Amino acid sequence: MNTINQRKKTMGRKKIEIKKVEKEANKQVTFSKRRSGLFKKACELCILCDVHLDIIVFSPADKIFRCGCSQPSTDAVLKSYIRGTTEFEDQQLMGDSLIYEEYNKEYEEALKVLQMEKKKLADIENLARVSKRGAWWNDSIDDMNGEELEYFMMSIFELKKNLLKKNMNIS
Amino acid sequence: MNTINQRKKTMGRKKIEIKKVEKEANKQVTFSKRRSGLFKKACELCILCDVHLDIIVFSPADKIFRCGCSQPSTDAVLKSYIRGTTEFEDQQLMGDSLIYEEYNKEYEEALKVLQMEKKKLADIENLARVSKRGAWWNDSIDDMNGEELEYFMMSIFELKKNLLKKNMNIS
DNA sequence: ATTTCTATTTATAAGAA
DNA sequence: TTTCTTATAAATAGAAA
């Protein structure tokens, strides 16, 4: 019946190059679609293989999306964590003499030092990076030693800190 | 030539139901393939939309896999450093310019500084958080950010727990 | 745990809503 | 930001290596 212009509504999917989408509008749409697809895949993986998984994404609009595929004991775990954090208050580190602003100063200071150390480490790292073949994130951390794990935990801490800064306006 | 049984090597992909794969061997293969696909998708999303993203997965074999897609992330730098160090020790790829002993010295030194900064930052951050307006985790559940953070903290705790389970000395 | 090989199943780029 | 549609690009189940 439709021999001319009612048969095809779209040209269908097209191949694209994996590189930053410049047009803001398109980037937005692509993000929405692909994030959706990613989370779906993630949930399928969780169900199929009975594993736990977490994804955190910062959208182009600086919004945070998460995908946590598994639900058990969220409360208990969280409470445990909180309990651990609360111990801090018992240490009375928050005396009258120290004001919030001053801490922020120290915080910034420490950050600077940390940045310097990072740069130093990055330099050293560059020397060894030459022979790297696979993507670092594709490796399991199963075989890390204690020190390496410590670094790893610290990197997690960094991420947490960034999250706090980003959302709680701390610092 | 092959009219009977040499033409098709496989039956091709089959539709499956999304539910726990019972056969351990198959589950393992499925996990490997789909995790790979998931990480690939994740990285494409990061590149296409210029966003930051992190994934943590606990494999069926209790291994931890991570995908942190973004460029100058602290996490990436530190992780790369970790991998680089490991590979250095394994392959001795540092040329004549830097001797192994010297490298280790610098490593130990940087490690100490980082440990100190880490603790310092943790303390300061805790102070800032508490002095802000009480525990951030008590924020309304309607607060997206708060919820996200809670979930993230849980993830971190889970990670710690798993590491501890492996008898690692992580605090 | 990762990878090869195909036939199929899925995910999606575009365009518009 | 998510959804709808269609034609096409990609991912992947199953069997083995």
Side-chain angles (χ1 to χ4, degrees):
Chain A
M1 289 91 208
N2 311 303
T3 53
I4 295 181
N5 61 357
Q6 280 183 312
R7 184 174 302 283
K8 299 187 179 184
K9 290 186 179 179
T10 76
M11 296 199 306
R13 178 175 179 175
K14 283 186 176 177
K15 185 189 185 78
I16 63 166
E17 185 185 352
I18 302 301
K19 67 173 184 181
K20 180 176 178 180
V21 175
E22 296 300 342
K23 286 195 66 174
E24 199 57 35
N26 294 336
K27 184 165 78 175
Q28 201 61 227
V29 175
T30 293
F31 178 78
S32 178
K33 289 179 176 177
R34 278 177 173 265
R35 180 187 60 72
S36 174
L38 185 73
F39 282 14
K40 184 184 175 187
K41 288 280 189 188
C43 289
E44 291 184 346
L45 177 61
C46 288
I47 296 173
L48 287 168
C49 304
D50 192 30
V51 298
H52 177 68
L53 167 159
D54 284 282
I55 301 182
I56 294 183
V57 190
F58 296 88
S59 80
D62 265 345
K63 198 175 179 182
I64 297 178
F65 290 88
R66 72 166 165 82
C67 174
C69 306
S70 90
Q71 53 290 84
S73 70
T74 299
D75 246 35
V77 174
L78 188 57
K79 277 177 182 167
S80 293
Y81 177 79
I82 292 173
R83 196 173 302 125
T85 314
T86 307
E87 288 178 351
F88 161 75
E89 295 180 75
D90 297 334
Q91 296 173 18
Q92 305 242 337
L93 291 178
M94 230 167 80
D96 300 307
S97 56
L98 290 173
I99 312 171
Y100 175 59
E101 283 70 24
E102 289 179 305
Y103 277 106
N104 272 342
K105 257 186 202 167
E106 273 203 51
Y107 181 81
E108 294 300 335
E109 194 87 17
L111 268 186
K112 276 182 190 167
V113 178
L114 186 61
Q115 292 295 350
M116 287 181 59
E117 285 306 321
K118 282 183 204 158
K119 194 177 293 177
K120 201 189 283 179
L121 287 175
D123 289 341
I124 299 174
E125 178 240 333
N126 279 330
L127 293 174
R129 198 203 297 208
V130 182
S131 72
K132 260 178 60 182
R133 46 175 181 165
W136 59 270
W137 45 261
N138 205 30
D139 295 321
S140 167
I141 69 167
D142 195 50
D143 53 357
M144 285 185 197
N145 62 38
E147 287 179 345
E148 293 173 334
L149 282 169
E150 189 62 22
Y151 270 102
F152 181 68
M153 291 315 300
M154 184 187 147
S155 70
I156 294 293
F157 172 82
E158 281 290 327
L159 187 55
K160 181 189 74 172
K161 182 163 59 60
N162 288 332
L163 270 176
L164 287 168
K165 247 161 60 177
K166 194 179 191 68
N167 300 291
M168 307 304 284
N169 235 341
I170 291 180
S171 91
Chain B
M1 283 92 205
N2 311 306
T3 53
I4 296 182
N5 62 357
Q6 282 185 312
R7 184 174 300 284
K8 299 187 179 185
K9 290 187 180 177
T10 76
M11 298 199 303
R13 179 175 178 175
K14 282 187 176 178
K15 185 190 184 78
I16 63 166
E17 185 185 351
I18 303 301
K19 68 173 184 181
K20 180 174 178 180
V21 175
E22 295 299 343
K23 285 195 67 174
E24 200 57 36
N26 294 336
K27 184 165 78 175
Q28 175 57 51
V29 174
T30 293
F31 178 79
S32 180
K33 287 180 175 177
R34 280 179 173 261
R35 179 186 61 72
S36 173
L38 185 73
F39 282 14
K40 184 184 177 189
K41 287 279 188 187
C43 289
E44 290 184 347
L45 178 62
C46 288
I47 296 172
L48 287 169
C49 304
D50 192 30
V51 298
H52 177 69
L53 168 158
D54 279 279
I55 302 181
I56 296 181
V57 189
F58 297 88
S59 80
D62 261 347
K63 278 192 178 182
I64 299 176
F65 290 88
R66 296 193 60 251
C67 174
C69 307
S70 80
Q71 44 308 337
S73 109
T74 299
D75 190 54
V77 173
L78 289 172
K79 191 70 193 304
S80 292
Y81 178 68
I82 290 170
R83 302 309 310 176
T85 303
T86 298
E87 292 188 23
F88 164 68
E89 292 179 300
D90 289 343
Q91 303 171 18
Q92 298 203 327
L93 50 92
M94 300 305 269
D96 312 33
S97 56
L98 205 60
I99 309 173
Y100 182 79
E101 285 72 24
E102 290 179 314
Y103 181 88
N104 273 339
K105 252 186 204 168
E106 279 209 46
Y107 175 92
E108 294 301 336
E109 199 146 342
L111 181 64
K112 276 181 190 168
V113 178
L114 278 172
Q115 298 283 17
M116 286 180 58
E117 290 307 323
K118 174 187 171 184
K119 191 175 191 328
K120 201 168 173 185
L121 284 175
D123 289 343
I124 296 171
E125 189 198 30
N126 279 331
L127 277 172
R129 187 198 304 152
V130 175
S131 62
K132 183 72 176 176
R133 56 167 160 162
W136 55 268
W137 55 79
N138 282 329
D139 288 341
S140 163
I141 248 183
D142 293 330
D143 183 349
M144 248 321 236
N145 291 335
E147 189 182 349
E148 299 295 347
L149 285 169
E150 279 187 7
Y151 199 88
F152 186 67
M153 293 318 299
M154 189 193 88
S155 300
I156 293 173
F157 187 87
E158 281 291 334
L159 182 56
K160 278 190 196 171
K161 216 173 53 179
N162 273 272
L163 291 177
L164 285 171
K165 217 161 60 181
K166 297 177 187 302
N167 298 311
M168 295 299 188
N169 188 29
I170 303 297
S171 55

